[in-house]
Amino acid sequence: MSASSLPSSGLVRMNPPVFWFAASFILLFGVVVMAMPEQAGAWLLAAQNWAANTVGWYYMLAMTLYLVFVVVTALSGYGKIKLGADHDEPEFSYLSWAGMLFAAGISITLFFFCVSEPLTHMLQPPQGEAGTADAARQAMQVLFLHWGLHGWGVFAFVGMALAYFAYRHNLPLALRSALYPLIGKRINGPIGYAVDGFGIIATVFGLGADMGFGVLHLNSGLDYLFGIAHTRWIQVGLITLMMGAAIIVAVSGVDKGVRVMSDINMLLACALLLFVLFAGPTQHLLNTLIQNLGDYLGALPMKSFDLYAYDKPSDWLGGWTVFYWAWWIAWSPFVGLFIARISRGRTIREFVFGVLLIPLGFTLAWMSIFGNSAIDQVLNHGMSALGMSAIDNPSMTLYLLLETYPWSKTVIAVTVFISFVFFVTSADSGTVVLSTLSAKGGGPDEDGPKWLRVFWGAMTALVTSALLFSGSIDALKSAVVLTSLPFSLILLLMMWGLHKAFYLESQKQIAQMHSLAPVSGSRRGGWRQRLSQAVHFPSRDEVYRVLDSTVRPAIEEVSAVFIEKGLGVVTHPEPVNDSVSLEIGHGDQHPFIYQVQMRGYFTPSFARGGMGSKELNNRRYYRAEVHLSEGSQDYDLVGYTREQVINDILDQYERHMQFLHLVR
């Protein structure tokens, strides 16, 4: 694997095999379901029951493996590896990064499920007697399982894979890149394109489910406030309106305005959470939050594998836990790409624990405060109608809970507004991510073409409408479970590829420490010249001359000998983009890359003061730094002779050969 093995260059454009594979499947599905909604709904429900009864165990095992993999990787020696070159520094401060991770954890579905799900689990529990305090405690434990570490574990895994291969090895920011250690350059062939295609299909259905739940939730809010009835065509109109707004935002690039609105929305969501906490039974809610957290962590190992195999057969597992695991998997390319883009330069350890813990805290607090508020109303204040609503009309349940609080109309109106903005921002981000996944060319930080954003926005709206027509919530769940199944297998292959890449990197680090003879001879001019060089801060022109007169001839001389030996050599000897480089291929093995790059730094203050020159106050000095495929090696070739540069190339090449020996 190398920095130039699969370069990304040129304009961002559609990737035809990926696009047509994913688009054809999604369009066919949408048309068939819209044409035969009742039959399609029955097929989807039957297929979900089959999946729950046949591969439910697999989903439970796979999600636990993803979580264990990222935690073990972070705690191991691999945790020190950077998501980027060794010299890369994080683009964002810890506070800004944490804020963006926090935003990634917020979705309109938090509003849909925060009240309806715990009440449903309490009144229709997987085990035990319904409607009791024990059932309520079990309901919160299951709720935390569904919204806890497992989901963020798969997000962290996909984000880690995307960032590692894109920023450390300059591979495309695409799902297929994680298979490079397994299939090499064939990732740019049918296998790799199929991987990206399945990722897009899973993402569209995951977004479709999110949009579907969001539309049901918004329709209920509008019904409560203005009497707008629940009909399929009203919901299609809402989907069209909000997806249209999202597409306009995605295409016009009015990021700043949406970002400001999103920040205001986050503050409103936090204010709503605090309002429910302090306007309700505050002491009880704080007590239950801590107890729920303890119950969840204590039962996590058991619940990770709990299939209720010794209980009476039911549809509960397929309708809840299996659905959630499939939904997290479907959302993983979307959220994974977002967190990968904001995490360049972070170590794997800080990345994993940041992604696992920062959004999780808010999510669990939200679920606990809203869920326990609703349970308290049903168990202790006789609001049985609230419990029945959770089962019969879950999208209305949150509004019925807020109705019991002061200023209920205003609070509900604010909730509808927050939900609308979350819908638009999620849909906007989703269309951008889908356009990126179906494009090629450009750099890792470039988005896909605008017309692709429009197309995928329309496709997501079509899928959402079709699923609502074919059976509402049950159809949404069924489609997610089925389309996530092939992608979950791809994630396991990505895990294998990532583990192999980490192993190769560890072996290369061992090879770098392999004892070699020092560079022969002293530097030009003896020790006095060496001392003068140490306190000299070269200008850009001086370093350019070193590249042109010393490094370039050394690379040309070495290249000629390697060519005589029959090795594939690629050189860029002219100082283009302030660097010269040499690449030596070894068939299917990892190529050797040696690049000397000019890098500028501000002249240190002690040098400016000692020289007494005002001209140096804002002056930069330059170094001719050696870069290998992993990034800068942090040493400078200025002052080396041609022979010493040649010896340095050979030193690094021998280390590379030692690496190939270790992994042969």
Side-chain angles (χ1 to χ4, degrees):
M1 205 164 351
S2 74
S4 61
S5 54
L6 287 170
S8 291
S9 59
L11 296 174
V12 183
R13 58 198 184 281
M14 180 187 78
N15 191 346
V18 175
F19 173 81
W20 289 114
F21 168 62
S24 300
F25 178 89
I26 293 166
L27 186 61
L28 179 63
F29 176 90
V31 170
V32 169
V33 172
M34 290 287 279
M36 301 182 295
E38 293 183 3
Q39 298 96 316
W43 294 338
L44 286 170
L45 191 58
Q48 185 192 11
N49 290 333
W50 170 84
N53 295 327
T54 308
V55 295
W57 63 269
Y58 161 74
Y59 271 112
M60 300 291 284
L61 183 60
M63 283 294 287
T64 302
L65 284 175
Y66 304 145
L67 176 60
V68 170
F69 178 82
V70 295
V71 172
V72 170
T73 299
L75 293 174
S76 71
Y78 301 144
K80 298 177 182 178
I81 296 173
K82 277 194 174 183
L83 298 174
D86 289 338
H87 62 275
D88 279 346
E89 294 298 328
E91 181 180 357
F92 303 101
S93 68
Y94 272 110
L95 189 61
S96 298
W97 184 62
M100 286 185 279
L101 290 178
F102 175 79
I106 306 298
S107 165
I108 193 172
T109 49
L110 286 177
F111 293 82
F112 186 95
F113 286 105
C114 65
V115 174
S116 62
E117 183 179 347
L119 289 178
T120 302
H121 294 334
M122 183 182 72
L123 298 174
Q124 295 179 345
Q127 294 173 317
E129 185 181 351
T132 65
D134 286 341
R137 187 172 179 179
Q138 179 186 208
M140 293 307 300
Q141 189 180 77
V142 170
L143 181 69
F144 272 39
L145 175 72
H146 292 163
W147 291 88
L149 287 169
H150 284 79
W152 285 100
V154 72
F155 287 172
F157 166 65
V158 174
M160 179 172 65
L162 288 170
Y164 176 80
F165 287 104
Y167 300 139
R168 192 160 181 85
H169 294 289
N170 286 346
L171 295 172
L173 188 65
L175 299 166
R176 66 182 185 272
S177 295
L179 300 187
Y180 185 79
L182 305 180
I183 62 174
K185 295 184 179 180
R186 284 178 292 171
I187 63 169
N188 279 343
I191 298 175
Y193 294 145
V195 167
D196 284 348
F198 279 118
I200 290 172
I201 291 169
T203 303
V204 167
F205 281 89
L207 280 170
D210 185 78
M211 300 298 105
F213 290 126
V215 164
L216 293 173
H217 171 73
L218 284 169
N219 196 169
S220 293
L222 295 174
D223 184 13
Y224 186 93
L225 292 172
F226 307 112
I228 297 177
H230 284 255
T231 68
R232 288 175 175 175
W233 289 110
I234 290 290
Q235 290 161 9
V236 170
L238 287 172
I239 292 169
T240 304
L241 173 66
M242 290 184 289
M243 189 59 76
I247 290 172
I248 291 171
V249 171
V251 171
S252 61
V254 290
D255 264 355
K256 191 172 181 181
V258 173
R259 199 66 61 198
V260 170
M261 185 180 292
S262 182
D263 291 341
I264 295 172
N265 216 37
M266 293 289 294
L267 294 175
L268 289 174
C270 292
L272 178 62
L273 180 65
L274 293 175
F275 171 77
V276 172
L277 172 63
F278 290 111
T282 307
Q283 189 64 41
H284 173 70
L285 294 178
L286 293 175
N287 289 339
T288 52
L289 172 59
I290 300 304
Q291 183 161 328
N292 294 157
L293 184 62
D295 288 345
Y296 166 61
L297 294 176
L300 183 60
M302 180 192 72
K303 282 295 182 181
S304 298
F305 301 98
D306 194 352
L307 289 160
Y308 307 101
Y310 293 96
D311 295 318
K312 183 179 178 180
S314 73
D315 297 332
W316 188 93
L317 185 71
W320 288 105
T321 305
V322 172
F323 157 69
Y324 267 110
W325 289 174
W327 194 13
W328 286 104
I329 289 170
W331 261 69
S332 61
F334 170 37
V335 181
L337 182 63
F338 171 76
I339 59 178
R341 280 192 165 183
I342 65 173
S343 302
R344 185 171 191 160
R346 303 239 170 240
T347 65
I348 286 175
R349 183 169 297 133
E350 62 184 326
F351 172 84
V352 167
F353 288 116
V355 172
L356 285 182
L357 301 179
I358 292 173
L360 182 70
F362 178 83
T363 303
L364 296 187
W366 179 280
M367 288 298 185
S368 179
I369 290 169
F370 278 95
N372 283 301
S373 297
I375 288 172
D376 178 64
Q377 291 288 341
V378 173
L379 286 183
N380 301 321
H381 296 85
M383 280 196 64
S384 57
L386 183 63
M388 290 301 100
S389 172
I391 296 172
D392 299 330
N393 188 13
S395 61
M396 183 64 79
T397 314
L398 173 61
Y399 302 114
L400 296 180
L401 172 66
L402 294 176
E403 188 180 45
T404 65
Y405 284 77
W407 313 299
S408 59
K409 285 283 187 180
T410 301
V411 172
I412 290 171
V414 170
T415 302
V416 171
F417 173 77
I418 295 171
S419 303
F420 174 80
V421 176
F422 277 140
F423 187 109
V424 172
T425 52
S426 293
D428 161 41
S429 303
T431 57
V432 172
V433 167
L434 287 167
S435 71
T436 302
L437 291 174
S438 56
K440 63 180 179 179
D445 297 322
E446 295 184 68
D447 296 320
K450 291 181 178 180
W451 74 268
L452 276 177
R453 304 176 203 179
V454 176
F455 177 84
W456 288 120
M459 285 296 97
T460 305
L462 173 65
V463 166
T464 305
S465 302
L467 292 174
L468 288 175
F469 264 70
S470 64
S472 192
I473 293 175
D474 289 335
L476 292 170
K477 291 183 174 182
S478 301
V480 170
V481 171
L482 293 175
T483 54
S484 293
L485 187 58
F487 187 62
S488 68
L489 295 169
I490 290 170
L491 290 184
L492 293 177
L493 291 175
M494 289 170 61
M495 186 186 302
W496 182 15
L498 197 56
H499 173 72
K500 186 173 181 181
F502 289 156
Y503 169 74
L504 293 175
E505 177 144 346
S506 68
Q507 295 304 302
K508 189 158 192 178
Q509 290 174 354
I510 294 173
Q512 290 292 102
M513 295 185 290
H514 182 65
S515 177
L516 292 171
V519 175
S520 62
S522 60
R523 292 201 184 189
R524 173 192 302 135
W527 70 268
R528 292 181 183 275
Q529 177 64 27
R530 184 175 175 184
L531 178 60
S532 297
Q533 188 68 43
V535 296
H536 178 58
F537 296 90
S539 67
R540 183 185 185 93
D541 289 342
E542 288 178 82
V543 177
Y544 193 87
R545 284 195 295 271
V546 170
L547 294 178
D548 188 53
S549 64
T550 303
V551 179
R552 178 179 57 79
I555 285 179
E556 290 176 339
E557 193 171 340
V558 171
S559 300
V561 177
F562 276 118
I563 291 172
E564 289 177 8
K565 302 296 182 183
L567 293 172
V569 176
V570 177
T571 63
H572 300 283
E574 297 300 325
V576 178
N577 296 326
D578 297 333
S579 68
V580 292
S581 64
L582 164 69
E583 179 178 338
I584 302 171
H586 298 90
D588 292 333
Q589 299 297 318
H590 299 264
F592 168 70
I593 294 175
Y594 185 93
Q595 183 184 64
V596 183
Q597 182 174 329
M598 183 188 304
R599 297 192 68 195
Y601 301 88
F602 285 111
T603 306
S605 58
F606 71 86
R608 294 198 298 267
M611 296 176 185
S613 173
K614 294 181 180 179
E615 295 178 0
L616 289 177
N617 284 340
N618 295 311
R619 178 177 176 261
R620 293 169 69 85
Y621 74 99
Y622 292 83
R623 287 159 46 103
E625 290 188 1
V626 174
H627 286 60
L628 303 179
S629 60
E630 295 77 26
S632 174
Q633 301 304 295
D634 292 320
Y635 66 91
D636 182 17
L637 294 185
V638 174
Y640 278 49
T641 65
R642 184 187 306 184
E643 182 181 357
Q644 288 167 340
V645 172
I646 291 173
N647 276 296
D648 189 62
I649 295 172
L650 296 179
D651 281 351
Q652 296 292 2
Y653 182 71
E654 287 177 359
R655 290 189 176 97
H656 184 77
M657 295 303 291
Q658 174 69 10
F659 161 66
L660 295 183
H661 164 72
L662 290 172
V663 299
R664 69 188 188 282

